[in-house]
Amino acid sequence: MRFQTHRPASWQACIACGNEVVETDPRPRCAVCGGLLELHHRPPAMTPVELIERFTERRGGSPGATASGVWRFREIVLPSADAVVSHPEGNTPLLHRIALDHWAGVDHLLFKHEGHNPTGSFKDRGMTVGVTQAKRIGAAAVACASTGNTSASLAAYASQAGLPALVLVPVEGVTSGKLAQSLAYGAKTLLVRGDFDDCQRVVEEASSHLGVYLLNSINPFRIEGQKTIVLELLQQLAWESPDWIVLPAGNLGNTAAFGKALREARQWGLISRLPRLAAVQAAGAAPFALSFAEGFAQRHRVKAETVATAIRIGNPASYERAVESITETNGVVLSTTDAELLEAKAAIDASGVGCEPASAASLAGLRQLVRTGVVKPSDRVVAVLTGHILKDPDLLLRYHQEMDPPPPGANRPIEIEADIREIERVLQHKT
Ligand code: F0G
């Protein structure tokens, strides 16, 4: 179907066949062809200047949804939402550390640190919108498959909304920090004997057969929320586009969201120039990088393996949307080995910024792009850090305490007797 005359404030459309459905349709995919759905909004009834003024007024406002770094942009996220389920979230910092400029080889590198969100990852931005939508359509329960962060976020927002939540995570590979969050926030947590791609397949089947609302990133409302990572960073840069935005890529929800945010920001006059996107995968889980290298001639699926469990994904769900994002922004897709990723993570951690392993793909990828001359040292770059350092404490402790021989950045703890002379000895390096 197509809306013929009067378009509502927002509606969903299939990215493959163009079929349009109302905003409140709960189905996760197009009912005609099974394609991914995308949300469309009527252009805001304001000039770009008025819109920017509205966003500025709300920044740092009183506690509640207005102060949210997602709902601040409600006119271009979900204009018709009224009762929103908000922590609030967003308002994450742009960080600069000279040591990391040097490490990457650029003059001025900013980190948009999404680990500063309430549950410690960018997923909260999509989840506030997704769970708000679940309430609007009267969902009885919500569900997702996850490598751990989506499930932690869904668990928190569902409990705030009073909705039962079902999360499916791979029995091997979800970090202790993330699993602990899902349990603590009260989600029914299923440890699936399989990998993330198995979890995704089975949760999609369950959502259509068992009538639970699917809140994986194929859900178009999640994408709307995740757009605000880009909108907020553009606002922090006074709506001056950087040259590059670099991000880790797994299931490709963020890559899809970033492209949509940039497309709309330009269309609605908020920015005049598109930054280039650089999506970075882990080498053992890089089907998107493989497709990019072939000019997106075909879609690849791989058996995924990487230390960065968050992006251990072999068959990314938002593939088609992400291809559009990379193509439209003249972007690039690359991959980085686990060794490079851990080296980048150690540099981020040692700078005091800290992040979870998958997040460090952005810095490792950026260094590669500088070394190959794709990014110039003078380019203005924003690298997105997607999750908090404490999401994966086990890997940190292995890296610093157990690996033999110790990696270059290892910081071994020293056990001592409760005696000041022992401390003195340590200070004098006589251990
Ligand atoms: N970084 C972190 C910390 C993540 O948790 C994820 C995805 C990504 C990057 C990749 O983002 O999927 O949009 O390309 N985590 C999902 C999850 C899959 O279930 O938590 P993407």
Side-chain angles (χ1 to χ4, degrees):
M1 114 156 173
R2 269 178 196 282
F3 292 103
Q4 293 302 341
T5 48
H6 189 70
R7 289 199 172 268
S10 308
W11 65 98
Q12 306 182 66
C14 172
I15 67 166
C17 75
N19 178 44
E20 295 181 342
V21 290
V22 293
E23 185 187 17
T24 47
D25 192 304
R27 285 170 292 189
R29 286 182 183 272
C30 171
V32 176
C33 76
L36 295 173
L37 296 169
E38 185 171 63
L39 212 62
H40 292 261
H41 308 298
R42 260 200 326 253
M46 275 182 246
T47 65
V49 172
E50 286 167 344
L51 209 51
I52 287 173
E53 271 173 11
R54 172 82 54 100
F55 298 155
T56 309
E57 277 162 22
R58 290 181 186 147
R59 207 169 156 185
S62 52
T66 310
S68 157
V70 172
W71 296 104
R72 184 193 310 145
F73 303 103
R74 59 168 61 227
E75 285 80 359
I76 50 179
V77 167
L78 195 57
S80 48
D82 40 24
V84 305
V85 183
S86 169
H87 192 95
E89 48 290 305
N91 295 307
T92 58
L94 271 184
L95 305 175
H96 176 236
R97 296 291 182 273
I98 290 169
L100 298 175
D101 290 346
H102 293 159
W103 199 93
V106 293
D107 301 340
H108 196 79
L109 169 60
L110 291 171
F111 288 94
K112 178 73 173 154
H113 204 327
E114 288 295 302
H116 289 234
N117 271 293
T119 75
S121 84
F122 70 93
K123 303 291 181 179
D124 296 336
R125 292 186 184 263
M127 213 48 86
T128 181
V129 182
V131 171
T132 293
Q133 182 66 9
K135 287 295 272 187
R136 287 174 87 199
I137 62 170
V142 288
C144 73
S146 179
T147 54
N149 278 327
T150 301
S151 46
S153 184
L154 178 62
Y157 280 84
S159 93
Q160 183 178 346
L163 282 172
L166 185 67
V167 307
L168 280 73
V169 293
V171 66
E172 280 175 30
V174 60
T175 68
S176 59
K178 298 173 190 179
L179 179 60
Q181 282 182 292
S182 282
L183 301 176
Y185 294 131
K188 177 80 65 197
T189 304
L190 305 183
L191 300 174
V192 177
R193 292 187 205 107
D195 59 15
F196 169 80
D197 299 295
D198 294 318
C199 295
Q200 187 163 269
R201 176 179 44 77
V202 74
V203 82
E204 249 196 76
E205 278 167 29
S207 80
S208 40
H209 288 98
L210 308 177
V212 284
Y213 187 55
L214 186 64
L215 275 172
N216 261 60
S217 62
I218 65 163
N219 181 306
F221 294 86
R222 289 264 319 272
I223 301 290
E224 290 307 295
Q226 288 174 209
K227 285 187 335 196
T228 65
I229 303 171
V230 165
L231 296 173
E232 194 174 82
L233 80 83
L234 289 172
Q235 184 179 36
Q236 286 165 310
L237 297 175
W239 304 98
E240 279 289 330
S241 294
D243 297 305
W244 288 91
I245 300 177
V246 188
L247 75 159
N251 215 18
L252 302 179
N254 250 359
T255 308
F258 281 29
K260 186 168 194 278
L262 291 170
R263 188 184 319 138
E264 293 173 350
R266 188 171 63 171
Q267 191 182 330
W268 294 333
L270 300 173
I271 54 169
S272 52
R273 193 175 54 81
L274 290 182
R276 295 177 72 183
L277 288 180
V280 188
Q281 299 208 283
F288 191 47
L290 216 56
S291 296
F292 173 77
E294 299 170 346
F296 293 126
Q298 60 170 319
R299 182 173 177 167
H300 287 274
R301 290 167 180 78
V302 301
K303 184 86 189 146
E305 190 46 63
T306 163
V307 286
T309 53
I311 51 175
R312 195 184 280 169
I313 296 169
N315 184 19
S318 284
Y319 175 81
E320 291 90 353
R321 291 170 177 155
V323 169
E324 211 180 326
S325 296
I326 296 297
T327 311
E328 269 188 1
T329 62
N330 188 24
V332 295
V333 188
L334 63 157
S335 66
T336 171
T337 64
D338 278 1
E340 290 165 334
L341 203 141
L342 289 177
E343 196 190 330
K345 172 172 159 55
I348 293 167
D349 291 353
S351 77
V353 168
C355 67
E356 73 162 283
S359 307
S362 53
L363 181 62
L366 174 60
R367 183 168 74 172
Q368 203 185 113
L369 291 170
V370 173
R371 285 181 174 169
T372 51
V374 179
V375 172
K376 294 193 293 298
S378 59
D379 283 349
R380 287 163 314 127
V381 184
V382 178
V384 179
L385 299 178
T386 43
H388 195 276
I389 186 172
L390 287 177
K391 286 285 191 171
D392 194 350
D394 305 323
L395 179 128
L396 276 172
L397 294 177
R398 260 200 324 278
Y399 184 85
H400 290 288
Q401 287 189 297
E402 291 166 21
M403 276 171 72
D404 195 25
N411 179 20
R412 291 273 201 260
I414 303 156
E415 192 172 323
I416 61 163
E417 297 299 333
D419 182 337
I420 188 170
R421 282 167 303 182
E422 295 248 322
I423 300 175
E424 208 175 354
R425 237 192 325 271
V426 170
L427 289 176
Q428 292 166 353
H429 300 287
K430 284 194 208 146
T431 49

